[in-house]
Amino acid sequence: MTDVNTENFQTEVEGAQGLVVIDLFATWCQPCRMLAPVIEELEGEYQGVHFCRVDVDASPDIAAQFGVRSIPTVAFVKDGTFLDFTVGVVPREKLAAMIEQYR
């Protein structure tokens, strides 16, 4: 999983081709820690989908760009265009269904 920050956001997210799944998290956030293994598992299952993560404390500008008000937030971007997001610890099945929908 790629760590994304202000310096590489353009390349990793806005300039990427295909679906990008972005885990917006904070290191101190317990729900974020609960969701992280689910996202890592999905990353192993979906070839051709780019998974990355953004520490909202280290990159508040990116969090603001996505309108993050609560974490964890998982955002879906395809070919540089924002599609959708989820907030909180959501079931693996819901994330998988969203990946399938936007792929």
Side-chain angles (χ1 to χ4, degrees):
M1 186 166 321
T2 306
D3 288 318
V4 172
N5 54 43
T6 304
E7 289 76 36
N8 66 356
F9 182 78
Q10 170 62 37
T11 304
E12 296 294 333
V13 177
E14 292 178 336
Q17 294 297 312
L19 181 62
V20 179
V21 179
I22 309 162
D23 177 16
L24 294 117
F25 76 102
T27 57
W28 50 264
C29 170
Q30 186 59 37
C32 298
R33 290 185 198 149
M34 293 169 56
L35 188 60
V38 173
I39 294 173
E40 289 172 7
E41 183 179 301
L42 290 168
E43 180 181 24
E45 294 177 19
Y46 287 94
Q47 303 303 317
V49 175
H50 182 58
F51 287 78
C52 58
R53 62 187 193 158
V54 174
D55 182 336
V56 298
D57 289 333
S59 299
D61 54 325
I62 296 173
Q65 182 174 338
F66 283 102
V68 173
R69 295 184 181 187
S70 184
I71 53 175
T73 293
V74 178
F76 299 85
V77 175
K78 186 169 187 178
D79 299 330
T81 302
F82 171 76
L83 300 174
D84 203 353
F85 68 95
T86 65
V87 177
V89 179
V90 296
R92 180 191 182 289
E93 294 76 22
K94 180 176 180 177
L95 290 174
M98 291 179 85
I99 292 169
E100 288 290 336
Q101 177 182 354
Y102 298 127
R103 234 163 95 151

